[in-house]
Amino acid sequence: MTDAALTATAAAQAPIDTPFAVFWRKFRAHKGGVAGLIVFVLIVLAVYLGPLIHRIDPNKIDIRAKNQGPSFAHPFGTDNLGHDMLAQVLAGGQISLAVGITAMLLSLFLGTFVGVLAGYFRRIDGLLMRLTDLFLALPLLPLLLVIIMLFRDTLRAAFGPETGIFILIVFVIGITSWMHTARIVRGDVLAVKNQEFIVAAKSSGMYEHRIILRHILPNVLSSIMVSATLGIASAIITESALSFLGLGFPSDFPTWGRLLFDGVNFLQLTPSRVFWPGLAISLTVLSVNYLGDAVRDALDPRTLSR
Amino acid sequence: MFTYTIRRLIFAVPTLLVISFVIFALLDLAPNDPLGELPLTIPPEVREQIRAAMGLDQPFLVRYVKWLQQFFINEPLNIFEQLTGWHIGDGNRMRVLSWATRSPVVDLIVQRLPQTLWVVGLAYLFGTLLAIPVGVISAYRQYSIFDQIGTFITMVGYSVPTFFTGVVLIVIFSSYLQWFPSVYDTNLQVRDWSSFLEQLRQMFLPILVLTLYNASQIARFVRASMLDNLSQDYVRTARAKGVKEKAVLLVHVLRNSLIPVVTVIALGVPTIFSGAIITEQIFRVNGLGQLLITAVQGADLPLVQTLTFIFAVLIVLFNLIADVLYGILDPRIRYD
Amino acid sequence: MSGIKSLLTAGVTTIILATGGTAAHAGRGSDGEAKILFWQAVSTMNPYLSGGSKEVYAASMVLEPLAGFDPDGKMFPRLAAGIPSLENGGIAADRTSITWKLKPDLKWSDGTAVTAEDVAFTFAYCTAPGGGCAQKAKFEGVKAVEAVDPLTVKISFSKPMSYPYAPFVGALSPVIQKAQFKDCLGEKAAQCTAANFNPIGTGAFVVKDFKANDVVTFAANPNYRIADKPAFSTIVLKGGGDAAAAARAVLETGEFDFAWNTVVEPEVLDAMLKKGKGTISTAFSTTVERIHLNPFGADPALGQKRSTKDAGPHPALSDPAVRKALSLAIDRDILVEAGYGAGGKATCNVIPAPANLASSGVDWCLKQDIAAANKLLDDAGWKKGSDGVRAKGGVKLSFLFQTSTNSVRQGSQALIKDWWNKIGVTTELRNVPASVYFGGDPASPDTYKKFYADIEMYASGFETTDPANFLADFKCDRIPSPVDGWQGGNVGRICDPAYDALIDKLSDASEPQARSEIIKTLNDLLVNGGYVLPLVNRGEPSAISNTLKDALVNPWDSQLWNVADWSRKK
């Protein structure tokens, strides 16, 4: 849908430049966005390439070296079992980023899909919105327990323990967090769909799905982007809450959320245990948010290039 | 608008019935067990009898219909009797009883409501009041210092999980500085000036944490929505016509921008009822969130069912309110 | 709304008035308020309706049994005038009945007299059909409880009992007032909310206000039998939060006097203790954290048959060498150091206490020996493959290891996985929420009784000083299976004819020395066979403020067993 929006934006304003060039020019003007992009790329690189440099196995236990402060061997110190915190934070980042982004995409897709349909087609609006109510009311924890009970063993057999639980968690976070996006998108669609250009497009005999893709979506994109950036944050945090309740990844798979949670008791003893995962989560979310801001500005068909 | 509201209200009844059924089925299917937390020394035969005493030996549908009857007939009748002092029938009605406490669920909720309203409700109110001006100014002075700082703070506000900020605040202000208590005293009654101050002190930290979080989220929406409107043609037209900047901002832009924001705010109101589970847990504000999480962990089915159902009612209700407000505020939207 | 509330508190007000009306005895109530913190909140004050320790402990401040246990496990009379025995004729020579004498002039907190009728009624209350009494096991084998006269009660059993002290001894089976509960029998038990939240008792305190799952306020009992006790006029028992926060509230901020069950990582506790505001006391009873190795196949491909006899023996764990090697590779001292600190002791016994029953025949496993474990596996033909994992005949030493969700247990899992890795065993870890793991939902695949894993860890113990029932759970016919709805107590699926024969011998033995010998042998059979890997004898740690005097923890009874004696240090 991003591509469609890009095309629409470009076609409307800058027939000479390629759509991407227009987008890039606008994006670059947003200083926070550029900074966000750099930080985010740095985090991704650190998390994926870091383990090649810092070659300690995150699950290696050295009980004699527990609760250490930062040192040359352990730049982030160690935890109460003697895990190297830097290695844990790097390994945790891989999982947390993957979960956060995939779950956000899933929930964004579901939310936009339901929201646009509900806003655009009056006949199914009531039904879809009641479905949204239902999902909002469902207690998350029992739902998780049921899903895990029903699907864990099947997925574990099909994809192995790690990928199986990854799919499960992304699925669970995705299907329990799309409702707000759906509501907001629906509200925006309702506001947009009666505007002249939509009516004009309709009367010119344009197909419904083309109207939605070309005219409705670009106009609700700003809300979607805000939801997306909020979504990554809440997905990472939901994952940590799940780990805490024992429904997340097995305990030997560190994630930022759980590192933070486990470290909270040790706040006074080894502050670095809390500081680094906390900083990693905050920086990631922060950079994604700035990124989202800039993308939103760059995509908005109504902002003139500055 | 009126017929629309009526139609929606009528439609809400079957919706809620379906929701209550789905929740009941889900809770029934869930593998956690109300007896899971009992000591392992209790033998299986006794466990079986405890289960029977909870009514768990009956078929699923029977239990569901029983709950419906208790919740929709017996409880309202009870409240009615309490209010009027009249007696209907012999008064010997089964109420919805929690399994863990064996006390009526409604009484538990009534007991917990004040704490939740004080802490979570106030935090939501403060958050909203803070978020709107911050969001408006941030958007109006986009990329100014105020916007940069505001954006940064709001982003930090929801980037850092509350279980982290909460514990950090307790360590600093309760353990180290000893300014605020770390445990919320639900027995405290505000009678005089000093007990009022005490109440303020114990509410301060949880409200701080939650306000920051709420304000951050809402301010982001206000800012985005304001930006959308500021760049619209009607703003330029109004300015070109010589309308005062203040009027442009407050009359035209703010009004239009707040439409989607009102939805977001209205939809957030039910979450006050569900409490702030993590924050309540950390500051030991034993409100509804804490009640719900203990009930879920202990698989106290009647309590979870009733709480989530009331939550569902509020969601449906506030969804309706949001839609009606939307219709009133935005003349472009026609429901009828 | 307020109407509902006023109904609830109607009973409470009368008691407050009663308290105010009595002239204070010298010493009673002179020390003001004490504050207790249970991070798992109390849900009811009726221990018969909730078997949970937190409810039993809270209720023990109000309700009392005929006799209790002191910290050494010795019985002492509470409501009873003395402890019946064979010598003093309290126990019938054929051991089929026991007769208790009540103290004279005992009063309930509402001022009425305590009689033998109340004791007999308590039995009727717990055994009434449909009531779901959680402590019914205490009355197992009891034929009748009769009030012989107002101060004498006779409990008759359906067969001779080697241990006749189960009913009405200890915090689990206190005496309740007949007048208050007479309309609450059977199915009506749950509806008596006012009585369940505010039982009239004989203990040092009465309930002044009860907020379920939140806070209980107690006031000194004006009719308590010892005139100058309790020293505190009110006690507030708050619930909620987590263990670390509870410890912090006593040890660091000093907001509370006593916090129960402060299971926190030892180094965190040490840091809190440095503030010097309080101490940690641990009550060591019989609870042992242990590992079970599944003797049956647990591969998901086995479907319905897995973890039952039909699945056939486990391809790897049925080999005694593997079981012994797994046990040898564990360093129990490190497990204690990392997860329990002063709250745990390394053990190789399934029965670690009382001292006269603890065996010393299994201490080979106390010392970690990776080399010996490796040698055992080498000799048994398990050869390391290119991936470092041992295998024999296509069977790899790769196990699924499950336990409940709990940060200490996950720490232990990680350590054990690491040690097993050193002997060529790979482990997949899994943790399940406690309410699912210890739950009995037959549809759930994750209960500890279903044991759909190769290896699992949990803790259990027995509550009296007599482990006969506990040990009988390891009999072959108690293996959980679909036939009994996965209810059997033999979670480790141990089936050893020699063991079963010894259990039968135990139930016939009544002479203490002989019993203790049999119990030790049973213990050794379990451990040496490698069926059970005991790890840590766990205690219940409590944080106690330095300003609180005479608060003693007790492994055999309620942690608040002597709350009547507590006072403020001057």
Side-chain angles (χ1 to χ4, degrees), chain C residues 298-344:
Chain C
D299 187 349
L302 291 163
Q304 292 300 311
K305 284 195 284 190
R306 68 172 151 161
S307 293
T308 66
K309 208 171 181 189
D310 300 340
H314 193 287
L317 291 174
S318 53
D319 180 345
V322 174
R323 296 202 299 261
K324 187 154 188 188
L326 290 178
S327 185
L328 272 176
I330 297 171
D331 189 333
R332 289 161 172 82
D333 290 322
I334 297 268
L335 286 184
V336 170
E337 188 195 320
Y340 300 92

Side-chain angles (χ1 to χ4, degrees), chain A residues 4-227:
Chain A
L6 281 173
T7 327
T9 323
Q13 286 175 15
I16 313 154
D17 284 354
T18 63
F20 185 75
V22 176
F23 169 76
W24 186 240
R25 198 180 64 231
K26 285 185 173 180
F27 182 87
R28 260 189 341 213
H30 193 295
K31 285 199 199 72
V34 175
L37 182 67
I38 294 172
V39 171
F40 187 69
V41 168
L42 280 181
I43 290 174
V44 172
L45 284 181
V47 157
Y48 283 93
L49 300 182
L52 300 179
I53 303 161
H54 186 75
R55 287 169 162 279
I56 295 183
D57 177 3
N59 280 323
K60 185 183 175 296
I61 289 179
D62 182 3
I63 194 81
R64 276 170 300 278
K66 66 176 183 174
N67 295 323
Q68 287 191 350
S71 66
F72 189 72
H74 306 288
F76 287 7
T78 56
D79 73 0
N80 61 322
L81 295 179
H83 290 117
D84 178 71
M85 282 311 289
L86 176 58
Q88 291 244 313
V89 169
L90 294 177
Q94 296 180 6
I95 300 179
S96 285
L97 282 179
V99 168
I101 293 170
T102 340
M104 178 272 290
L105 287 177
L106 178 64
S107 101
L108 209 60
F109 172 75
L110 284 173
T112 312
F113 185 72
V114 173
V116 168
L117 287 187
Y120 193 78
F121 300 105
R122 268 198 58 192
R123 268 166 299 134
I124 49 173
D125 182 21
L127 191 71
L128 285 177
M129 281 298 107
R130 298 301 81 76
L131 185 75
T132 315
D133 289 347
L134 171 65
F135 268 89
L136 273 176
L138 282 186
L140 182 68
L141 231 45
L143 179 71
L144 282 168
L145 290 174
V146 170
I147 292 179
I148 286 174
M149 179 178 85
L150 294 179
F151 302 113
R152 189 194 56 214
D153 282 350
T154 331
L155 287 171
R156 181 173 176 263
F159 300 98
E162 294 130 58
T163 323
I165 199 86
F166 180 82
I167 294 174
L168 205 69
I169 285 174
V170 165
F171 175 73
V172 161
I173 297 179
I175 63 156
T176 51
S177 59
W178 55 269
M179 292 81 72
H180 279 281
T181 315
R183 286 218 145 117
I184 292 157
V185 168
R186 169 178 169 272
D188 278 6
V189 172
L190 280 178
V192 167
K193 81 168 180 188
N194 288 329
Q195 288 188 9
E196 294 81 0
F197 64 100
I198 305 282
V199 181
K202 257 190 199 162
S203 52
S204 71
M206 209 175 192
Y207 287 115
E208 304 267 24
H209 69 268
R210 285 192 60 78
I211 296 181
I212 291 177
L213 287 179
R214 287 188 63 98
H215 296 298
I216 303 273
L217 271 184
N219 277 291
V220 299
L221 206 61
S222 63
S223 304
I224 298 180
M225 290 317 301
V226 176
S227 291

Side-chain angles (χ1 to χ4, degrees), chain B residues 53-166:
Chain B
M54 290 172 174
L56 259 173
D57 52 344
Q58 288 164 336
F60 168 73
L61 275 178
V62 174
R63 282 183 283 135
Y64 176 62
V65 172
K66 267 195 178 162
W67 178 81
L68 280 183
Q69 190 211 351
Q70 289 165 5
F71 185 81
F72 285 103
I73 302 171
N74 296 2
E75 289 293 347
L77 276 178
N78 253 331
I79 293 173
F80 182 74
E81 283 188 3
Q82 297 280 331
L83 291 178
T84 58
W86 298 341
H87 290 281
I88 301 153
D90 60 351
N92 195 9
R93 284 181 294 268
M94 240 343 242
R95 302 185 64 184
V96 187
L97 290 182
S98 140
W99 285 343
T101 69
R102 311 294 174 108
S103 78
V105 167
V106 175
D107 295 355
L108 291 176
I109 296 175
V110 169
Q111 208 171 61
R112 296 304 183 90
L113 205 54
Q115 288 90 280
T116 295
L117 286 183
W118 270 112
V119 174
V120 189
L122 270 185
Y124 197 71
L125 186 71
F126 291 162
T128 312
L129 291 180
L130 204 65
I132 292 178
V134 169
V136 168
I137 302 175
S138 287
Y140 186 64
R141 300 238 176 268
Q142 199 185 4
Y143 305 124
S144 68
I145 294 291
F146 184 91
D147 180 32
Q148 306 287 9
I149 295 175
T151 304
F152 185 75
I153 291 177
T154 52
M155 285 184 174
V156 169
Y158 59 74
S159 306
V160 188
T162 48
F163 65 71
F164 177 52
T165 36

